Amino acid sequence: MTDNNNRYLPGEHPRARFLRLDAATVLKRFYLCERSLIISQSAWLAGIAPLEAKMTLPRFTWQDTLSAHAFRERVFELRYPRRMLEIGEDAPLIEIFDASIQAPSAQAFIHALATVFKPALLSAYKSYVDCADHLSDGPILRALNLAIEEKESQIAWLEGQTEAMSESEPERRQEAERWASSLEERLAEVGGLTLDSPHPAITPKDLPGRRPFQLAEVPARDPRFHLCHYYWPDIVDPNFAYGEGINLQLRSGVSHLNEVWAVETGGAILHAFADDLDWDYIYDAARWTYDESRHVLMGYERLKAWGFELHEMPLGSYIYDSAAGQEPIIRLGMLHYFETKNIGNKVKRAEAFAQYQDRMSQHDMEFDWADETIHAAYGKRWHNTLHAKFPDRIPDMDGLHRRCDELVAVEIAAATDAERADIRQVAEAMIAKAGEAGLNHHANAAQPAGAA
């Protein structure tokens, strides 16, 4: 008689590569790497000049946030009931990802994303999918496959942006290449980002050009635009009306373009409070920043559609500048204050654009309104959380808004006659050009079909 107690069916199978906690360990590593880059990408926004990069990086960051969120939730499922995401044995690897923020220049930062960090994530995701079990890994495979597609697209775009930045600042190219090369070497020293645990570097090398990160208090601006402090005359001249008709259309387009300060501020506060408030906050702040970048591009595309060249578009900085040197809570307060201050006007302006048959402006304003109602909730939620956690250094909401009002009022009061004259000249030139375009459009629309 055969003793079946000492005999077993074969259990070796490719599907059994990862046990439950092995999979959780790898996905936790992916989450921690993404989290690190989400923070550094956000922190660098104010220090990046080209508008394309400043507005595209928030979209990438939001994509990365959605991927990281999926990895994090899957880790919790696999480790239930544990809810801790300690760095642990991944520390040598995460230390290198954290060093990304210490790039010596914006060009170096973008170059390292394009050639080191994003490719490392892409390779690791592909490795996981290649050996994944379609049954046990099924709940996370969609997120991984989407992340692979997004990383491939991100890398292609970042490579092109790296080249464009090196052409505009060739003197920084060698520095950027050295920075990326040294990070790649450091990554190799700890075993890279793979499905296996990293190990401490035996002889860690220094990172040439490494600089302790500091938020750009003076934001970098794209020189192709008309750079100014105040982006429309009514900000500093009470006699210059906000306007109706063409004036309102232009004012709205320019206002949307100048929400660039909100993009920079969203990135700054994500970085500032990431460790105090952790993931749920990072998730909301990444979405907030991405939304603001969409608003900027709404205005930019409308102005371009109306025939304006970049050098004709005013790009200001007075709201961002008004928070220079202040505690990070002031920047959060600024973003929340201006969201809640202007929500009511959005609906009225959308209605006006409908009357003008300006469907493009109406469309953008309606979506802007929807976004800002969400943002108002973000600001209230996270201010209240910070106030409860740090009551001695975080003022109440009313006090915070009053302080923001004071700082902006000081910034506006400092306007010089030359600044007032400059922005008035820019606005009047835009209004005149728009008026001509409007007349031509009206004339063409009035002609019978087939007229010359």
Side-chain angles (χ1 to χ4, degrees), residues 103-409:
S105 68
Q107 185 181 149
F109 178 72
I110 297 293
H111 189 59
L113 288 180
T115 62
V116 181
F117 295 113
K118 301 288 185 175
L121 286 163
L122 175 61
S123 176
Y125 294 166
K126 285 183 173 180
S127 295
Y128 192 103
V129 169
D130 285 345
C131 65
D133 168 20
H134 68 283
L135 297 178
S136 60
D137 286 308
I140 198 62
L141 284 180
R142 181 179 183 277
L144 278 165
N145 282 317
L146 181 57
I148 287 170
E149 290 180 19
E150 289 174 344
K151 286 293 182 290
E152 289 174 339
S153 178
Q154 289 180 14
I155 290 166
W157 190 91
L158 288 164
E159 287 174 343
Q161 187 60 38
T162 295
E163 191 60 35
M165 293 175 81
S166 67
E167 288 176 3
S168 64
E169 292 184 302
E171 71 280 4
R172 287 194 173 275
R173 181 168 194 154
Q174 190 173 16
E175 173 189 65
E177 291 173 346
R178 279 201 310 269
W179 172 251
S181 178
S182 64
L183 285 168
E184 196 162 23
E185 289 177 11
R186 282 288 297 276
L187 204 54
E189 288 172 357
V190 303
L193 172 54
T194 69
L195 306 186
D196 299 316
S197 298
H199 53 76
I202 299 174
T203 54
K205 297 177 182 177
D206 193 20
L207 294 171
R210 172 188 246 170
R211 295 179 187 172
F213 176 77
Q214 287 188 319
L215 177 70
E217 295 281 8
V218 177
R221 285 285 184 267
D222 193 324
R224 294 173 299 169
F225 291 82
H226 183 95
L227 302 185
C228 51
H229 197 46
Y230 314 95
Y231 56 80
W232 205 249
D234 64 322
I235 297 167
V236 291
D237 183 357
N239 296 318
F240 195 99
Y242 204 98
E244 298 177 354
I246 284 176
N247 292 35
L248 180 60
Q249 290 173 288
L250 285 178
R251 179 64 166 86
S252 175
V254 169
S255 293
H256 266 149
L257 172 65
N258 277 273
E259 287 189 28
V260 64
W261 77 268
V263 177
E264 295 160 338
T265 300
I269 63 173
L270 188 155
H271 165 255
F273 298 115
D275 290 336
D276 289 331
L277 299 175
D278 207 27
W279 182 251
D280 287 345
Y281 168 76
I282 293 172
Y283 185 94
D284 284 353
R287 170 61 189 275
W288 199 348
T289 307
Y290 168 52
D291 288 349
E292 300 297 354
S293 73
R294 291 168 38 241
H295 300 167
V296 171
L297 294 174
M298 287 174 180
Y300 175 65
E301 291 190 0
R302 293 207 305 279
L303 292 171
K304 281 184 64 180
W306 288 326
F308 291 100
E309 303 291 337
L310 268 59
H311 67 88
E312 296 174 301
M313 303 180 195
L315 199 57
S317 59
Y318 81 100
I319 302 178
Y320 187 90
D321 294 340
S322 67
Q326 302 294 316
E327 291 295 317
I329 189 60
I330 294 295
R331 293 199 183 277
L332 190 153
M334 287 285 185
L335 204 49
H336 180 256
Y337 177 57
F338 280 94
E339 298 281 12
T340 55
K341 183 179 179 182
N342 294 317
I343 285 177
N345 293 327
K346 306 285 183 180
V347 175
K348 295 176 183 176
R349 287 168 192 161
E351 291 172 351
F353 296 141
Q355 292 177 358
Y356 305 159
Q357 299 182 29
D358 179 359
R359 191 172 178 83
M360 184 166 57
S361 294
Q362 179 190 5
H363 167 276
D364 289 352
M365 194 61 69
E366 287 184 350
F367 279 91
D368 182 344
W369 174 87
D371 291 338
E372 292 196 354
T373 57
I374 299 170
H375 302 164
Y378 289 163
K380 183 176 181 180
R381 175 189 181 188
W382 294 113
H383 168 267
N384 288 346
T385 303
L386 284 166
H387 183 60
K389 193 171 184 178
F390 307 108
D392 294 337
R393 65 182 178 90
I394 304 296
D396 61 51
M397 186 67 82
D398 289 341
L400 180 59
H401 283 183
R402 281 195 301 272
R403 182 59 180 148
C404 292
D405 237 343
E406 291 168 0
L407 290 168
V408 172

